Amino acid sequence: MAEERRAGPARMEVRLTGEIDHHRAGELMRELEDRLDLEAPREVELDLSGVGFMDSSGIALLIRVYRALALTGGTMLVTRVPKQPGKVLRAAGLSRLFPISYQ
Amino acid sequence: MKIINEARLIFPSLSANESFARSAASCFAAQLDPTLEELGDIRTAVSEAVTNAIVHGYPDTLGDIVLRLRLLEGRVLEIQVKDKGVGIPDVEKARKPLFTTGGEERSGMGFTIMESFMDGIRVRSAPGKGTSVTLRKQVSPRMRG
Ligand SMILES: Nc1ncnc2c1ncn2[C@@H]1O[C@H](COP(=O)(O)OP(=O)(O)OP(=O)(O)O)[C@@H](O)[C@H]1O
Ligand SMILES: [Mg+2]
């Protein structure tokens, strides 16, 4: 599950956990979209420290969150990325779109 | 190259089988005592190939996917993912980074990831007949302590 912690006005922090693949991505995206709609944050931090596995389905998910935020002038950052998801993010060159910090 | 061990799995193109395929491949690879990073590379590449078969190979139907795992001479792991789905009209184009027919739910990075995480990839496909993706990885020798 994606659990949410409020981090002050206009800032949303979400800790993603588990394995992010195609099987899981649809539901996760709907959850994230609901929260973005509800809170309309200016900045979103996605904490990936609990993600044990991620493939290209996760790349598409992160890009969709980035685009949804960009529409309203919001920004995002991805933090505490473990090794395997980190290698996938690097291969996709996602740090050109938003800041990424690795574990 | 000589085949030392082989396993074959057949499963329907249900998304729940993506994690099953990753786990099966990493269990098979365990006999080579790979590093955590090598295991991660194998799991990622298998996930990409199997997801492609599910999402693109059988877009509107359920079909069988065959996962063939081979241990070859010289610590080489060979993984083949095969579907009898719609096939790829232009493989060279499909393999280019960012190319996708999957819309915003896909990023067009699957083949690029398979290429960079494995040592070799061969794609065979015929429209209307299906696709097979064969991946190879040389697993490094481990020092025994
Ligand atoms: N098994 C398959 N059957 C039919 N078409 C395929 C198959 N595998 C790949 N393709 C085609 O090749 C394209 C590129 O595949 P690739 O995995 O690189 O990207 P993607 O699946 O579109 O996106 P991503 O993998 O980043 O989620 C796909 O969009 C699809 O058109
Ligand atoms: Mg793909």
Side-chain angles (χ1 to χ4, degrees):
Chain A
M1 286 303 288
E3 58 181 81
E4 184 192 333
R5 287 169 281 163
R6 262 329 268 269
R11 186 180 152 86
M12 191 172 110
E13 200 180 312
V14 182
R15 185 167 185 267
L16 301 176
T17 57
E19 307 209 325
I20 304 180
D21 62 4
H22 157 253
H23 182 63
R24 176 95 190 294
E27 185 199 318
L28 204 53
M29 189 63 220
R30 278 190 294 279
E31 247 178 77
L32 286 168
E33 266 168 352
D34 285 350
R35 283 170 190 184
L36 292 178
D37 285 350
L38 201 71
E39 301 199 24
R42 288 204 58 80
E43 188 181 65
V44 173
E45 176 179 341
L46 295 173
D47 174 343
L48 262 57
S49 58
V51 174
F53 177 84
M54 195 185 93
D55 65 15
S56 64
S57 306
I59 299 174
L61 182 106
L62 295 179
I63 293 174
R64 284 176 78 183
V65 173
Y66 167 77
R67 287 201 180 129
L69 277 165
L71 282 178
T72 55
T75 57
M76 73 182 253
L77 69 161
V78 174
T79 58
R80 302 178 69 201
V81 182
K83 284 233 166 66
Q84 186 277 338
K87 204 166 169 181
V88 171
L89 295 186
R90 284 198 178 93
L94 282 194
S95 60
R96 279 173 306 186
L97 296 181
F98 39 78
I100 303 174
S101 64
Y102 301 89
Q103 243 178 16
Chain B
M1 258 188 269
K2 204 177 137 201
I3 301 162
I4 294 166
N5 194 2
E6 178 176 301
R8 259 170 224 262
L9 293 158
I10 304 176
F11 49 86
S13 55
L14 296 166
S15 64
N17 285 324
E18 290 155 9
S19 63
F20 167 69
R22 292 197 291 276
S23 304
S26 94
C27 285
F28 185 85
Q31 62 196 299
L32 285 170
D33 192 19
T35 62
L36 263 185
E37 182 174 5
E38 286 166 337
L39 263 188
D41 293 349
I42 292 160
R43 288 161 58 77
T44 313
V46 169
S47 200
E48 295 299 341
V50 169
T51 302
N52 278 353
I54 292 171
V55 173
H56 306 296
Y58 300 113
D60 313 305
T61 47
L62 274 186
D64 280 346
I65 296 171
V66 181
L67 174 67
R68 191 189 70 194
L69 304 162
R70 277 179 172 171
L71 174 58
L72 307 178
E73 219 171 26
R75 299 179 60 78
V76 173
L77 182 72
E78 186 189 83
I79 298 167
Q80 187 180 72
V81 177
K82 204 167 170 178
D83 67 66
K84 288 189 174 155
V86 298
I88 305 174
D90 184 342
V91 170
E92 204 190 320
K93 193 167 151 197
R95 285 176 62 164
K96 294 217 164 88
L98 302 177
F99 177 87
T100 183
T101 56
E104 67 166 5
E105 275 165 36
R106 312 258 45 107
S107 65
M109 289 305 292
F111 278 127
T112 305
I113 289 172
M114 289 184 252
E115 275 166 32
S116 67
F117 284 36
M118 302 294 276
D119 297 322
I121 171 171
R122 196 185 64 206
V123 183
R124 288 193 171 164
S125 192
K129 295 222 167 105
T131 302
S132 81
V133 174
T134 309
L135 302 156
R136 278 190 181 178
K137 189 174 188 69
Q138 165 97 55
V139 176
S140 60
R142 293 291 286 276
M143 302 263 263
R144 301 245 162 221

